[in-house]
Amino acid sequence: MARTDRLMRLMDALRRLPAPVTAARLAEETGVSPRQLYRDIATLRAGGALIDGEAGLGYRLIEDGALPPQSFSRLEIEALQLAVGALPRIGDAALIEAANTALSRIAATLPEPQVQHLMHSVMRSFGPQSTRAEPSVDMALIRRACWAEDELSIRYRDLQDRDTERVIRPLGLSLSEHSMMLLGWCLLREDFRIFHCNRILSVECTGQSFRPHRVRLLRDYVAARRECDAAPPM
């Protein structure tokens, strides 16, 4: 294996595997002897990579900005292009812009042959643009609440056109060509609810964190869905 390819595989392993990663595991991932692995770690460090750890303790990648660009297989490039190309049918404007920006940043780190692969990808997503009603509220605020695990106070118009006010614990967003949905635990109903984002009339953060409860709520929701899917049809 060429030296550059070997070092790139080592970098990829350091990025992917839970740290600290033992030298034996890294040697297995890269297909080299432990002695060669130690030399490759030293080479990466000399090239500017900040790699914490030592033999017997394992290694942790702290920073790799000074290293050669990342490499992707042709199929990985096709998958990235296809995923970004499909977003206009299911994502909102902010998500589409973020995906295109991310793809541009990835392209800027690729070797020239792989940039050409990206530009001339054979995988394309075709189909009509989304026709769903777009939300009128700030979706960035909802996303931040999901990430930060903060409760939201919302005013919501249900499918019977009744307006209610609720406090929810937002757990995640679901996107499709026809709808953008928010999964949350509703404190008013004391149960899981899926809200149509275009029916949320107003939203604001309460400042109350639900972080200690999030993992349990997600586990309970997955268990409930599995139970429902396994139930025989009526």
Side-chain angles (χ1 to χ4, degrees), residues 7 10 13 88 91 103 124 143 154 157 177 190 211 216 232:
L7 293 177
L10 177 54
L103 191 61
R124 289 290 185 270
R143 286 192 177 97
I154 67 171
R157 179 166 295 161
E177 296 178 24
E190 295 188 336
R211 181 162 298 170
R216 176 184 57 80

Side-chain angles (χ1 to χ4, degrees), residues 192-212:
F192 295 104
R193 288 291 186 270
I194 295 178
F195 301 95
H196 294 256
C197 292
N198 64 298
R199 288 183 166 269
I200 300 176
L201 305 176
S202 65
V203 58
E204 62 180 20
C205 285
T206 67
Q208 182 69 38
S209 173
F210 66 94
R211 181 162 298 170

Side-chain angles (χ1 to χ4, degrees), residues 20-23 53-59:
V21 196
T22 65
E54 59 186 86
L57 298 177
Y59 296 94

Side-chain angles (χ1 to χ4, degrees), residues 170-230:
L171 299 172
L173 290 163
S174 173
L175 309 177
S176 76
E177 296 178 24
H178 307 293
S179 61
M180 181 179 295
M181 315 292 280
L182 173 64
L183 169 65
W185 174 264
C186 177
L187 275 68
L188 176 65
R189 306 301 185 195
E190 295 188 336
D191 200 358
F192 295 104
R193 288 291 186 270
I194 295 178
F195 301 95
H196 294 256
C197 292
N198 64 298
R199 288 183 166 269
I200 300 176
L201 305 176
S202 65
V203 58
E204 62 180 20
C205 285
T206 67
Q208 182 69 38
S209 173
F210 66 94
R211 181 162 298 170
H213 308 287
R214 184 173 187 273
V215 172
R216 176 184 57 80
L217 287 172
L218 287 172
R219 184 171 59 241
D220 291 349
Y221 178 74
V222 170
R225 284 298 305 269
R226 285 177 177 168
E227 183 177 340
C228 180
D229 292 343

Side-chain angles (χ1 to χ4, degrees), residues 11-42:
M11 279 302 305
D12 181 63
L14 285 166
R15 293 186 185 107
R16 288 186 294 104
L17 299 176
V21 196
T22 65
R25 179 68 188 280
L26 289 171
E28 179 183 357
E29 284 284 326
T30 53
V32 301
S33 67
R35 177 173 295 184
Q36 181 62 58
L37 185 280
Y38 297 141
R39 288 198 291 264
D40 288 346
I41 290 286

Side-chain angles (χ1 to χ4, degrees), residues 3 32 63 160 223:
R3 178 173 177 270
V32 301
E63 182 179 342
Q160 286 72 46

